[in-house]
């Protein structure tokens, strides 16, 4: 589909420019799919609910991380651990060698 093609194009450009080995590509959503037809409608089956709800279908979403920056031992593996978006900032700061508690941030 269109999104697959766009991500593939981005990866190829990073590789062509010699940037892939230092890249960390994070792809995530902010919530489950909308259930309202006006917003394109979705199914979050087998989870209950959708966007704008507190049920699992509204708050769970898929994500993936890729790139040459990933250690070889974790490439191609699957994690079923829970992650919250609030975890990303501290994780990225640590990867960049920065203090997540920087007073200017």
């Amino acid at each position: 589909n269109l999104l697959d093609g766009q991500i593939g194009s981005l990866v190829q450009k990073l590789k062509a420019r010699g940037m892939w080995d230092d890249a960390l590509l994070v792809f995530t959503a902010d919530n489950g799919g909308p259930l309202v037809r006006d917003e394109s409608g979705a199914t979050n089956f087998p989870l209950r609910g959708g966007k704008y709800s507190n049920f699992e279908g509204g708050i769970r979403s898929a994500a993936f991380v890729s790139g040459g920056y990933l250690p070889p031992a974790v490439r191609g593996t699957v994690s079923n651990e829970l992650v919250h978006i609030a975890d990303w900032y501290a994780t990225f700061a640590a990867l960049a060698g920065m203090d997540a508690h920087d007073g200017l941030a």
Side-chain angles (χ1 to χ4, degrees):
N1 70 28
L2 178 64
L3 186 57
D4 290 339
Q6 295 299 318
I7 293 171
S9 178
L10 172 66
V11 168
Q12 290 307 315
K13 287 179 182 178
L14 288 170
K15 287 180 177 181
R17 293 185 176 139
M19 299 168 68
W20 182 248
D21 289 344
D22 296 321
L24 183 66
L25 175 68
V26 178
F27 188 86
T28 186
D30 63 346
N31 51 27
L35 301 178
V36 180
R37 195 172 292 170
D38 292 346
E39 293 187 46
S40 77
T43 178
N44 299 303
F45 183 81
L47 304 175
R48 179 179 176 191
K51 189 173 184 173
Y52 309 120
S53 80
N54 290 324
F55 293 113
E56 291 290 300
I59 58 174
R60 279 181 145 191
S61 63
F64 73 83
V65 180
S66 186
Y69 190 81
L70 283 176
V74 298
R75 294 178 190 170
T77 64
V78 174
S79 172
N80 290 310
E81 300 298 319
L82 296 176
V83 177
H84 189 275
I85 195 164
D87 297 331
W88 289 116
Y89 178 76
T91 300
F92 293 152
L95 290 172
M98 303 300 295
D99 181 3
H101 303 288
D102 184 349
L104 298 175

